[in-house]
Each structure stands twice: as C-alpha cells, then as structure tokens.
C-alpha cells in the first residue's frame, strides 16, 4: 500500500473478511514499519462529530477530525452504511478530499458494489410503462425524427415519461428511496465515487458470510 502511493477499496457482501483484511494491513504497517495508522467505523466517526456540536461537549469538530487528517494510513470501515443525508455526504467529502489533497493513504471497506446485486421482480404498472417509453424514445432517437408525425409522437412520449417519473417519485417514501440506493455511487454520490477511483485500488471480495457459517458450525456441533 505505502509503496504504491495508493489506498485500497474493499468491496463485498457482509462477512467476507473486508474489515479483517484492512485491520491486518494496519497491524503489519504498525509492527514492521512503525507507520502512524488509525481505524474508524464511519458511522461511529459521524456520531463523534455530531457529539462535538453539543454545547457541553469537551471536544470540537476539529479535535475529532485532526487525527483522521493526520494519520498516515487510515481505515474507514463501512463506507456508505449511514443514511446518505446532505450532512453525511458533505462530511464524507470533507474527510476524503482533505486526505486526498494531503496525499494520505486511505483504506475503505463497503458492503456496496458498483452494480446492483438484484433488481425487484415486482414491477408496478407505472414502472412498466416507463420502461416501455424509454425503449420507444431510444428507438426514435436512434433512427432520427424523419417527419412531423414522428416529432409529435416523440414530444408526446417525452411529456408522458416526465409525468410518470414525477408520479413515481411522489409514490415513493423517503425510506423506500433510501432502501433502493443499492450501489456505492448511490450511497456516496457520483463525485466521491470518482474520487475513490483516483485514491484507491478497488478489490471486490466474494464469498459466503463467515459469521453465518461459523454460527451454523457452533449450532450443529
């Protein structure tokens, strides 16, 4: 990690060993090279920052963030797990961009991939019509508008698509919209995902949930 001047992004399902690998790297860097390293679970870090805003708190936001900025190698565990509010994303961007600009190495772990793991099998009439309109509009765009009739059809379908998208947005609760944020880009935003491409080598880890397998062994033994 240190020699390559680039961090790591461990992506994968729960229980495949992402945190274990990240911690093992820190331990090796501390023990063999004396590197200044720090580990933080991202949700816990956010809570500490929020706690610093309390008037009776003995810490400040800068006091919480200073070790995060100064660590030569930082592990930020569970990136994307917190509900992606504007404050969460702004705080995350501040941390990531500061470390990037200071050329500090960061190791991230996340349960979110770059592609959705699954898509809902239940398609509502509105979603189905939207999909049909997208296909029709794509065909019209590809072939080119050749006459007035096709132009009117294209405009009509576009208006219908816009109205259906608005209807679908209104039908979905904030909780449902958050639950549908199934990719890392959904959770942290396009700009931060792009930044991570610059900062880190991405390693996708696949496998069975080790904790579940261990629990089964204990139960059956």
């Amino acid at each position: 990690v240190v020699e390559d001047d680039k961090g790591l992004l461990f992506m994968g399902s729960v229980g495949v060993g992402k945190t274990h690998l990240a911690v093992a790297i820190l331990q090796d860097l501390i023990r063999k090279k004396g590197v200044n390293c720090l580990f933080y679970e991202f949700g816990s870090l956010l809570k500490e920052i929020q706690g610093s805003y309390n008037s009776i708190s003995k810490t400040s936001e800068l006091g919480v963030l200073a070790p995060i900025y100064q660590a030569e190698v930082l592990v930020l565990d569970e990136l994307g797990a917190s509900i992606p509010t504007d404050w969460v994303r702004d705080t995350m961007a501040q941390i990531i961009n500061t470390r990037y600009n200071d050329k500090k190495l960061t190791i991230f772990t996340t349960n979110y991939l770059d592609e959705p793991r699954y898509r809902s099998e239940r398609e509502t009439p509105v979603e189905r019509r939207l999909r049909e309109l997208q296909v029709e509009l794509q065909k019209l765009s590809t072939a080119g508008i050749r006459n007035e009739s096709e132009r009117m059809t294209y405009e009509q379908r576009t208006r219908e698509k816009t109205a259906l998208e608005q209807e679908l947005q209104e039908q979905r609760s904030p909780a449902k919209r958050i639950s549908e944020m199934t990719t890392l880009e959904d959770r942290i935003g396009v700009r931060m995902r792009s930044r991570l491409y610059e900062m880190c080598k991405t390693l996708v880890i696949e496998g069975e949930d080790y904790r579940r397998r261990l629990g089964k062994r204990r139960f059956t033994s």
Side-chain angles (χ1 to χ4, degrees):
V1 178
V2 173
E3 288 79 359
D4 292 339
D5 290 327
K6 207 164 188 180
L8 294 169
L9 171 61
F10 291 123
M11 309 176 82
S13 302
V14 173
V16 295
K18 303 182 299 295
T19 302
H20 180 80
L21 283 172
V23 171
I25 291 171
L26 290 194
Q27 291 177 336
D28 191 63
L29 289 172
I30 294 169
R31 184 173 59 253
K32 293 183 178 179
K33 299 185 178 181
V35 176
N36 173 26
C37 299
L38 185 64
F39 175 96
Y40 250 106
E41 192 272 322
F42 189 63
S44 298
L45 174 58
L46 293 176
K47 288 180 180 178
E48 283 197 29
I49 295 171
Q50 288 176 324
S52 71
Y53 302 153
N54 190 315
S55 58
I56 63 174
S57 174
K58 295 182 179 179
T59 60
S60 64
E61 180 179 357
L62 182 59
V64 174
L65 289 175
I68 301 295
Y69 295 153
Q70 294 166 3
E72 189 173 345
V73 179
L74 169 71
V75 168
L76 271 184
D77 196 36
E78 299 286 357
L79 185 68
S82 302
I83 295 175
T85 63
D86 289 342
W87 179 81
V88 168
R89 286 187 170 180
D90 288 346
T91 303
M92 175 177 54
Q94 178 183 345
I95 293 169
I96 292 175
N97 284 330
T98 299
R99 290 190 59 80
Y100 172 80
N101 292 331
D102 291 344
K103 296 180 171 54
K104 302 288 188 180
L105 297 179
T106 311
I107 301 171
F108 301 90
T109 77
T110 181
N111 295 332
Y112 294 91
L113 304 177
D114 285 322
E115 296 294 334
R117 285 196 178 88
Y118 60 87
R119 297 186 182 275
S120 173
E121 296 179 356
R122 295 184 178 181
E123 188 176 43
T124 67
V126 172
E127 290 171 333
R128 181 168 60 252
R129 180 56 182 156
L130 267 174
R131 178 170 52 79
E132 292 169 352
L133 284 169
Q134 287 167 347
V135 172
E136 187 175 351
L137 287 168
Q138 181 63 41
K139 287 181 179 178
L140 285 169
S141 297
T142 302
I145 308 300
R146 293 167 295 186
N147 52 54
E148 183 66 15
S149 176
E150 288 185 351
R151 184 186 67 79
M152 292 180 65
T153 298
Y154 185 86
E155 291 178 353
Q156 181 184 9
R157 298 294 187 270
T158 300
R159 287 193 296 270
E160 182 183 358
K161 176 175 175 289
T162 300
L164 288 175
E165 287 174 338
Q166 183 176 352
E167 180 182 345
L168 188 63
Q169 185 74 6
E170 292 172 352
Q171 288 175 355
R172 291 174 172 171
S173 66
K176 181 172 177 57
R177 289 198 294 271
I178 289 171
S179 71
E180 290 174 347
M181 293 179 176
T182 57
T183 67
L184 183 59
E185 185 175 296
D186 290 336
R187 305 295 295 192
I188 69 174
V190 176
R191 292 182 65 185
M192 282 302 98
R193 182 63 188 100
S194 177
R195 177 66 78 206
L196 294 189
Y197 281 120
E198 294 181 73
M199 292 177 66
C200 304
K201 294 179 179 179
T202 300
L203 297 175
V204 179
I205 303 174
E206 299 178 349
E208 184 182 353
D209 184 341
Y210 174 77
R211 290 183 288 268
R212 179 179 295 181
R213 186 169 71 247
L214 186 63
K216 286 180 179 178
R217 287 177 178 173
R218 288 175 176 172
F219 180 77
T220 56
S221 61

